Amino acid sequence: MRIAGIDEAGKGPVIGPMCIGGVLAEKEKLDSLKNLGVADSKKLAPKKREHLAHQIRKYAQKVYIFEVSSSQIDELRKVMSMNQIMVLGFSRVLEELQPDMVYVDAADVNAARFGANLKTQYAQKYPEKAKELSVVSEHQADATYPVVSAASIVAKVRRDELIKELEKKIGIDIGSGYPSDPKTQRFLENWSREHGTLPEFVRHSWKTAENVLKGK
C-alpha cells in the first residue's frame, strides 16, 4: 500500500513562493520515517531539517515539491480564494504521487471540507483513482503523522533554499518573508521608498504589501 503525506511551507509570507511538499512511501517504510525523528518542520532547527530532508529521500519512494511563485499567487487570487489555491496545489502533488491513501495537513478551517474538496479536484483528472483513494485531512497532521512531518520538512527546506537564493541575487537580507518579521518589514519599506514599487517576488495582493505602497 502506497501512503502519501502532503503539507505546505509558505502559505502566509508576503515574500517568496509557497512550496507544497509530498512524500510517498510504502506502508512498511513508515516506521523508518518515524525513527528518523521527523516532526513538524517549524519545531526543528534549520540544520536538522536539512539533514532530515536528505534522509527522507532515502526511505521515500518518491518526493515531490510543487512551487507556486508570488506572481502566480497574485494572479490566482484575482479569481479564487487562498483556500482554493491550496486545493489546486495539493491536488497537483497528489497527481504526481498517486497514492492509495493520503494524509494532508488541512489548509482550511474546516478540515473535512478541505479533504473533500481535494478529492473532488483530484477526481477531475483521475476519476477512477479518486474513487479508491482514502483521504485523511486534519489540522496539525504534520505533528501527528510522520509521513506528513516528512512532507512538511522537504517543503520548508526547499522554501528556505529559494529565499536564500533571492537574498543572494539582490544582496539584501529580506528576513523570513513573513509580515510579522521586522527584517522583512524594513526590506519592504526601504525598497518601496527607493523604487516606488515592490519587486516581483513580493505578493502584491497581500495587505502588508498594499499598506507599504500606500506609505502606511
Side-chain angles (χ1 to χ4, degrees):
M1 191 176 189
R2 290 149 49 93
I3 312 283
I6 306 177
D7 196 8
E8 55 76 27
K11 178 185 178 184
V14 63
I15 292 177
M18 175 171 66
C19 296
I20 302 171
V23 171
L24 180 71
E26 293 289 347
K27 193 174 182 179
E28 54 270 23
K29 292 279 187 181
L30 294 180
D31 281 344
S32 299
L33 284 176
K34 188 177 181 179
N35 292 338
L36 287 175
V38 295
D40 173 2
S41 64
K42 295 183 286 295
K43 295 177 181 174
L44 298 168
K47 287 289 180 195
K48 179 71 171 172
R49 280 197 298 262
E50 288 167 25
H51 172 72
L52 284 171
H54 183 68
Q55 295 298 312
I56 286 162
R57 291 175 187 275
K58 290 182 183 177
Y59 294 101
Q61 196 173 355
K62 190 170 188 177
V63 171
Y64 179 69
I65 301 165
F66 181 61
E67 297 169 16
V68 191
S69 71
S70 294
S71 54
Q72 285 172 324
I73 289 170
D74 285 339
E75 283 303 306
L76 288 167
R77 272 168 59 88
K78 291 175 183 176
V79 293
M80 64 179 69
S81 70
M82 199 61 198
N83 278 355
Q84 289 171 310
I85 294 171
M86 300 303 288
V87 169
L88 282 179
F90 274 55
S91 182
R92 284 291 295 272
V93 176
L94 201 49
E95 288 166 18
E96 192 71 28
L97 301 181
Q98 296 192 18
D100 303 306
M101 183 173 192
V102 63
Y103 293 89
V104 300
D105 196 343
D108 184 337
V109 292
N110 185 326
R113 177 175 62 196
F114 184 76
N117 288 343
L118 177 58
K119 193 165 183 173
T120 300
Q121 182 66 37
Y122 183 58
Q124 289 186 19
K125 193 159 186 181
Y126 296 103
E128 292 307 313
K129 286 181 178 174
K131 281 179 194 171
E132 302 298 322
L133 179 68
S134 176
V135 178
V136 177
S137 173
E138 294 179 13
H139 295 129
Q140 297 181 320
D142 52 353
T144 310
Y145 304 104
V147 72
V148 185
S149 303
S152 165
I153 289 164
V154 297
K156 176 68 174 150
V157 167
R158 180 58 184 150
R159 178 175 152 83
D160 287 349
E161 285 172 356
L162 292 169
I163 291 297
K164 281 177 193 161
E165 285 173 19
L166 272 178
E167 288 185 328
K168 198 172 178 184
K169 187 177 174 184
I170 62 172
I172 306 171
D173 184 350
I174 60 178
S176 65
Y178 281 84
S180 59
D181 186 336
K183 278 186 184 175
T184 298
Q185 291 169 4
R186 209 158 37 242
F187 164 75
L188 293 172
E189 287 161 7
N190 291 342
W191 189 285
S192 174
R193 200 178 299 118
E194 192 175 332
H195 301 275
T197 183
L198 289 172
E200 46 85 25
F201 55 79
V202 169
R203 300 180 195 179
H204 290 70
S205 59
W206 254 233
K207 192 55 92 176
T208 306
E210 290 174 7
N211 287 342
V212 165
L213 287 172
K214 288 174 186 170
K216 288 185 181 176

